[in-house]
Amino acid sequence: MPTDPLKLRQVSVFQNATDDDLKLIVQHGIERSIEEGEFFFFQGDPAIHAYVLTSGRAKLLQMNSAGQQVNLRTINAWQMFGALGAVRENAMYPASAQALEQSTALAVKSDYLHEFMQTRPYVSFDLMKLMTGYIQEMQERYRELATEKVERRLARALLRLTAQMGVKTADGGIELAFTRQDLAEMSGTTLFTASRVLSDWEKRGLIESGRERVVIRNPHGLVQIAEESGK
Amino acid sequence: MPTDPLKLRQVSVFQNATDDDLKLIVQHGIERSIEEGEFFFFQGDPAIHAYVLTSGRAKLLQMNSAGQQVNLRTINAWQMFGALGAVRENAMYPASAQALEQSTALAVKSDYLHEFMQTRPYVSFDLMKLMTGYIQEMQERYRELATEKVERRLARALLRLTAQMGVKTADGGIELAFTRQDLAEMSGTTLFTASRVLSDWEKRGLIESGRERVVIRNPHGLVQIAEESGK
DNA sequence: CGAACAATTGATCCTCATCAAACCTTGTGG
DNA sequence: CCACAAGGTTTGATGAGGATCAATTGTTCG
């Protein structure tokens, strides 16, 4: 099923694009469908396409030489990823993109997007805004990792996810669909430590947890853990 | 002493600017002179100026609520910093900028730079290239912090500094002028641990160290520490 | 029902942060 | 020109926070 051009308006980079612009993007894109666990691209591949996720969920991750991975960002529908090839020539993807569930994306040639932006400064500017946001977030996470303890990092990760993609449950909780492993990779710790912290929080009534699932019962309590200055 | 407009061509963001462009930037800028240890701006201040360092050296840092700080980036002459205000409106600086030695910078109003770039896509693109570079570097450092041990992180920090600002000594070493504290903040550890690691390296002949100074004698040895996969 | 995978929990160990004390280096003022 | 102060550095002792490993217990799905 081809992408409806007007839906692309939801993509922050295209918020100021004209209807004709959007049609052009769709015309120059290819639909790619990917199963859970498969990759859109790998770290180190030549960055020949930029992607817009049209359905599903994916993550950007980096691995070190020993195979340990860190989770850089979770991608939801109508978010753009892998766009840096449109800015630098002959760039390689600095991270891999893996589908968290069966997903589809619109792939646009980096070269085309580059050319497209040359004559549409409003698009470049929106892309820049997106990039400054990433820089800020990465700087913040870097500082957290360097100076904060695991419990607080995990609390912040959950709060960030809540803001970005929390789904309200019928009874007022906020549900997040992630494995302990995912959460660990997002907060720079191990599966085991993450599990321990979550168990503790569950005992204290802050959350409710299940397989591949965390329901936040008391967001304010998490904020307190994330913020509390001493200790 | 006013900045020579043509020198601005060294700033990567202005590499493709015209001579007239450069003159305009200088005309719209104010020279600011800052003593060692003083700040150009603080994290949280409204980002009303973008800066180009014209002499000296500075660092971008972030502090957490307990006052611990992390070093995000070292700024040398003819590098731009604090530019994100030109992209987002009403932005605040996400980090503080502190002079490492007596320094001067050209401060340009964010609003003006914004307007300036609107009609000069070649400048926007160069700024984007700069930003993608930061994103990549921060992602990499984030992964390192999450998955690598201190010794390796310190080795990488020194290698990065070598590439960015190493000064060859008469006898073939590469000199870096940083305190242990600075190095610790760059690699996400403490002054004490950094000191221990450096002492060890000195015993092994990899470096030579002194007060506010490290001379790299065997870069290849450091690369080996930075790369070695196991253990 | 059984296989595959996610999560929990306990025991152990290792890396590093922390604190304290002493030691160097550099620049300043008497 | 020496002495001293200030600030950078080293080194040791100690302990906490998590990583790691192993074993067990859910949970989901074909």
Side-chain angles (χ1 to χ4, degrees):
Chain A
M1 192 183 67
T3 308
D4 174 358
L6 293 186
K7 293 232 169 180
L8 279 183
R9 182 68 41 67
Q10 299 173 70
V11 180
S12 69
V13 172
F14 296 134
Q15 62 185 316
N16 294 309
T18 65
D19 290 1
D20 287 343
D21 286 346
L22 299 181
K23 268 181 215 142
L24 274 172
I25 291 290
V26 171
Q27 277 165 26
H28 283 81
I30 324 164
E31 200 81 17
R32 276 191 71 188
S33 188
I34 293 270
E35 296 305 309
E36 172 174 349
E38 300 291 307
F39 288 80
F40 284 103
F41 51 76
F42 291 92
Q43 179 176 349
D45 287 353
I48 49 181
H49 288 105
Y51 291 82
V52 171
L53 197 70
T54 50
S55 78
R57 227 157 41 107
K59 67 177 176 184
L60 276 186
L61 58 94
Q62 236 182 37
M63 287 180 38
N64 71 358
S65 46
Q68 284 175 87
Q69 51 183 63
V70 289
N71 201 320
L72 296 173
R73 184 150 67 87
T74 303
I75 299 153
N76 291 305
W78 308 112
Q79 291 191 324
M80 184 167 243
F81 62 103
L84 102 174
V87 176
R88 293 173 110 80
E89 8 250 293
N90 303 113
M92 300 183 315
Y93 295 113
S96 306
Q98 183 179 29
L100 289 171
E101 47 195 68
Q102 122 82 28
S103 301
T104 55
L106 185 70
V108 181
K109 280 232 158 43
S110 301
D111 290 347
Y112 180 72
L113 193 60
H114 182 93
E115 183 192 318
F116 178 88
M117 285 194 298
Q118 293 284 7
T119 52
R120 293 167 180 83
Y122 45 94
V123 175
S124 313
F125 253 81
D126 286 331
L127 179 57
M128 270 203 265
K129 277 185 201 163
L130 196 64
M131 294 198 303
T132 56
Y134 292 151
I135 293 176
Q136 257 177 278
E137 182 178 337
M138 285 311 297
Q139 286 180 348
E140 225 168 88
R141 287 177 60 184
Y142 181 81
R143 177 181 51 72
E144 281 178 23
L145 202 51
T147 66
E148 319 279 13
K149 298 227 201 311
V150 166
E151 187 176 27
R152 195 183 300 195
R153 299 205 305 268
L154 233 184
R156 297 220 177 153
L158 286 189
L159 291 171
R160 251 194 293 267
L161 290 172
T162 300
Q164 284 168 19
M165 50 189 312
V167 177
K168 285 233 170 63
T169 59
D171 56 345
I174 298 158
E175 172 151 0
L176 297 169
F178 290 96
T179 65
R180 303 288 178 274
Q181 178 73 42
D182 282 330
L183 295 175
E185 282 167 12
M186 285 182 226
S187 31
T189 180
T190 61
L191 158 59
F192 310 102
T193 302
S195 173
R196 276 180 241 271
V197 173
L198 291 181
S199 295
D200 182 49
W201 287 350
E202 183 152 30
K203 279 193 202 98
R204 290 159 58 186
L206 294 171
I207 63 165
E208 206 170 291
S209 79
R211 188 189 166 97
E212 304 190 27
R213 198 174 69 94
V214 174
V215 180
I216 297 178
R217 287 275 160 239
N218 179 357
H220 190 261
L222 284 187
V223 170
Q224 221 166 316
I225 291 172
E227 260 22 340
E228 71 193 357
S229 70
K231 257 246 93 138
Chain B
M1 194 184 68
T3 307
D4 173 358
L6 293 186
K7 294 233 167 178
L8 279 182
R9 181 71 39 69
Q10 299 173 71
V11 180
S12 68
V13 173
F14 296 134
Q15 61 186 317
N16 294 310
T18 65
D19 290 0
D20 286 345
D21 286 347
L22 299 181
K23 269 182 215 143
L24 275 171
I25 292 289
V26 170
Q27 277 165 26
H28 284 81
I30 324 163
E31 199 82 15
R32 278 191 70 190
S33 188
I34 295 272
E35 295 305 309
E36 171 174 349
E38 299 290 307
F39 287 81
F40 284 103
F41 52 77
F42 291 93
Q43 179 176 348
D45 287 352
I48 49 180
H49 287 105
Y51 292 82
V52 171
L53 197 69
T54 49
S55 78
R57 226 157 42 106
K59 67 178 177 184
L60 277 185
L61 57 94
Q62 239 184 33
M63 287 182 35
N64 72 359
S65 46
Q68 285 174 88
Q69 51 183 62
V70 290
N71 200 320
L72 297 173
R73 184 150 68 87
T74 303
I75 300 153
N76 291 304
W78 307 111
Q79 293 192 323
M80 183 167 246
F81 61 104
L84 102 175
V87 176
R88 294 172 110 81
E89 9 249 294
N90 303 113
M92 301 184 314
Y93 295 113
S96 306
Q98 184 179 29
L100 289 171
E101 45 196 69
Q102 123 82 28
S103 301
T104 55
L106 185 70
V108 182
K109 279 234 157 47
S110 302
D111 290 347
Y112 179 72
L113 193 60
H114 182 93
E115 183 193 318
F116 178 88
M117 285 194 299
Q118 292 285 8
T119 52
R120 293 167 181 84
Y122 46 93
V123 175
S124 312
F125 254 81
D126 286 331
L127 180 56
M128 270 202 265
K129 278 185 199 162
L130 196 65
M131 295 198 303
T132 57
Y134 292 152
I135 294 176
Q136 257 178 278
E137 181 177 338
M138 285 312 296
Q139 287 179 349
E140 224 169 89
R141 286 177 61 185
Y142 180 81
R143 177 181 53 71
E144 281 177 23
L145 201 51
T147 66
E148 319 280 14
K149 297 226 202 317
V150 166
E151 188 177 27
R152 196 183 300 196
R153 299 206 305 268
L154 232 184
R156 299 223 175 150
L158 286 190
L159 291 172
R160 251 194 294 268
L161 290 172
T162 300
Q164 286 167 18
M165 50 187 313
V167 177
K168 286 230 170 63
T169 59
D171 55 345
I174 299 157
E175 171 151 0
L176 297 168
F178 290 95
T179 64
R180 303 289 178 272
Q181 178 73 42
D182 282 330
L183 295 175
E185 282 167 13
M186 285 183 225
S187 31
T189 181
T190 61
L191 157 59
F192 309 102
T193 301
S195 172
R196 276 180 240 270
V197 172
L198 291 181
S199 294
D200 182 49
W201 288 350
E202 182 152 30
K203 279 193 203 98
R204 290 158 57 187
L206 295 169
I207 63 166
E208 207 169 291
S209 80
R211 188 189 167 98
E212 304 190 25
R213 199 174 68 95
V214 174
V215 180
I216 296 179
R217 286 276 160 237
N218 179 357
H220 190 262
L222 283 187
V223 170
Q224 220 166 317
I225 291 172
E227 305 301 46
E228 71 192 358
S229 68
K231 256 255 88 155

